[in-house]
Amino acid sequence: GDLAPLTGPSQAPAPAVVADFVARRVGRSAAAGLALAGSHRGRGGVTHLRFGQRVAGLDVYGAYVKAAVDGEGRLVSVIESLVARPGKPRPAAIDSEEALAAAVRHHYEGLRWQPRVEKAQGTRVDFDDNEGFFWQGPTVTRVAVPGEGGALAEGFLVETWTDEDNQLWHTLVGGDGEILYQESRTQSDTYAIFPEHPGAGAQTVVSGPGGGNAESPIGWVSTNTTTGNNVDAYLDRDNNNAADSGGRPTSSTQSFEFTADLGQAPTLAVNQQAAVTSLFYWNNVVHDTLYRHGFTESAGNFQQNNFGLGGAGNDRVRAEAQDGGGTNNANFATPADGSAPRMQMYLWTTATPNRDGDLDSDVIWHEYGHGLTWRMIGSMSGPLAGAIGEGMSDVLALYANGDDTVGEYVANDPGGIRRFPYTDYPLTYGDVDGSSVHADGEIYAAAMWRLRELWLGAGLTQDELYDVVVDGMNFTPSRPAYEDMRDGLLASSPTTAKDCLIWNAFAELGIGEGANGQETCFFGIFCFLQSVTESFAVPATCS
């Protein structure tokens, strides 16, 4: 939703609005050191600004302000990490050359090199590239380093970038030559995965977003294992809802490339590493895809850090590979925003050796879909809403992989795990009987698959359809019936022509104008399907 303004309207320039707020909330000395690093215009006329902090001519390492000012000059968002009462930094005991030497010893043990200064300007010194060992010559910038209580000391930010392996390091060196912090700025996370599932193509190596993208601004991987801001993936063979010993694959280069041996049991060590890698990769792909289409922080998505963008954090997905709690299935439990959900993936006994749901992206998309509908719609239980939840989860897998079957690999059956393919699906809303949310959910998924066929046939894109599907959940009541989901899509659809695509798709499955599903509940707990009235009619404007 819209952010509540933190200040009133103002005619002052946006940087001045931010500085005034910082002066009042943090302190005048902090505001005096603000240095505008950049700004850009975003959606709705909002100006986004980034500031650093400068004290005694030195940039304060790690200090910043990110703020947003709307078109009326109101501050609508501010994130700050500033030294409130900065004093004069304590002088360093070493110089730039000694700081570079400390960083080189730390990262490139045994490298013999006598650095030569090529340029010195202000607080920055540029060095030569050691005859091509470095992609470009290292730089050393004198900075102010915050310590305990906000006291400042001079230190050095050293940038080194090697040519051969493209490793870019930022190393913070203290004024006494101690390495205080290091940060790799090279995109290096790679994953060996099956693009859809093992039956649809060979295992291949793909790249993650490295340092970050618009959907995952700090990337997917936190350190050197399958843990990040969006998901923590691990083995849980003993079903204790915690990572098994050695249950997360590790890689110092964030290269999670484990070649699966499908002729052996999934519990073979390398197959387990491949399984957790696959589960981690696909959870991140689903996160980023849904984020682009509206399942963001303020909509209740799953992230450990929400970056001040709304919603509650501390709720990345806990994804449990080869969980020992069952077979031939999977599940996803979704608590309220701010509490972490848990995805449990099982082995399937449909073939010898067994098949692993962690390698089938259909199953992962499906399970994550439950989190989407529970967070954005809510109360996805009971005969109608429960069926919609199952059907909508299938829809995500269908759309993602572009085919009309789900779970072909885990089922060891080209027909997948549903009764019929979704193209030319033979049942309609009147066949919903409340006996099985999975069976009844197929009818909702079939309507959505038909919508995709009509949508693409009209020359529209799947990305546009995703936008409507996710945004439509903002207009859908909790515990919906099938027609409520249809009406949510209609509320999000921007044109009559697109509305008619929705009406026609749903009407073909009996969820047209006048369709009505009713439940009866006792004590608000026990709910039964009362009746379903199907309709194949569309409004006159769509006839």
Side-chain angles (χ1 to χ4, degrees), residues 79-337:
I79 306 168
E80 63 87 12
S81 178
L82 298 171
V83 177
R85 292 179 292 278
K88 186 176 181 180
R90 185 179 69 252
I94 64 173
D95 60 19
S96 296
E97 290 191 38
E98 292 169 308
L100 175 59
V104 167
R105 284 194 302 270
H106 181 71
H107 290 295
Y108 317 107
E109 185 178 359
L111 177 65
R112 295 186 178 276
W113 173 47
Q114 185 61 44
R116 183 180 70 256
V117 174
E118 296 209 325
K119 183 172 68 173
Q121 184 174 4
T123 59
R124 171 171 156 162
V125 179
D126 293 12
F127 293 85
D128 71 285
D129 65 1
N130 189 25
E131 298 182 347
F133 177 82
F134 295 105
W135 167 248
Q136 61 186 34
T139 63
V140 179
T141 303
R142 192 178 292 261
V143 295
V145 182
E148 292 186 9
L152 298 176
E154 286 186 0
F156 303 86
L157 178 60
V158 180
E159 180 180 277
T160 54
W161 191 353
T162 52
D163 181 50
E164 184 174 349
D165 58 2
N166 198 33
Q167 293 300 306
L168 173 61
W169 286 99
H170 276 189
T171 308
L172 183 64
V173 181
D176 57 358
E178 180 183 359
I179 304 298
L180 302 178
Y181 184 70
Q182 61 180 8
E183 180 179 64
S184 172
R185 299 174 71 89
T186 297
Q187 176 178 327
S188 59
D189 56 323
T190 57
Y191 308 87
I193 57 94
F194 292 92
E196 182 177 345
H197 58 72
Q203 194 174 17
T204 186
V205 174
V206 295
S207 295
N213 56 20
E215 300 81 26
S216 296
I218 57 175
W220 290 352
V221 189
S222 296
T223 52
N224 65 344
T225 190
T226 50
T227 298
N229 195 51
N230 306 326
V231 58
D232 179 16
Y234 51 84
L235 284 173
D236 185 23
R237 293 290 300 136
D238 58 7
N239 190 34
N240 70 345
N241 300 322
D244 295 345
S245 177
R248 296 183 180 92
T250 60
S251 169
S252 61
T253 60
Q254 298 180 353
S255 299
F256 302 99
E257 301 175 19
F258 307 100
T259 303
D261 184 350
L262 300 180
Q264 301 295 319
T267 50
L268 184 71
V270 70
N271 287 343
Q272 291 183 324
Q273 292 174 314
V276 177
T277 296
S278 175
L279 188 57
F280 180 79
Y281 171 81
W282 283 113
N283 267 269
N284 278 294
V285 167
V286 179
H287 168 277
D288 286 6
T289 302
L290 295 179
Y291 191 104
R292 286 194 295 275
H293 299 290
F295 190 35
T296 59
E297 294 90 350
S298 59
N301 76 346
F302 307 114
Q303 292 180 186
Q304 200 69 5
N305 183 343
N306 277 10
F307 311 111
L309 298 175
N314 299 311
D315 60 355
R316 65 185 168 202
V317 176
R318 293 180 294 167
E320 297 176 343
Q322 298 189 4
D323 192 273
T327 57
N328 302 333
N329 211 333
N331 58 57
F332 193 102
T334 312
D337 194 14

Side-chain angles (χ1 to χ4, degrees), residues 19 54 90 97 219 241 252 267 329 363 368 381 388 395 435 474 540:
R54 191 166 293 154
R90 185 179 69 252
E97 290 191 38
N241 300 322
S252 61
T267 50
N329 211 333
V363 182
Y368 205 109
S381 60
I388 290 168
V395 169
S435 62
N474 292 312

Side-chain angles (χ1 to χ4, degrees), residues 8-21:
S10 173
Q11 297 296 317
V17 171
V18 178
D20 180 67
F21 182 86

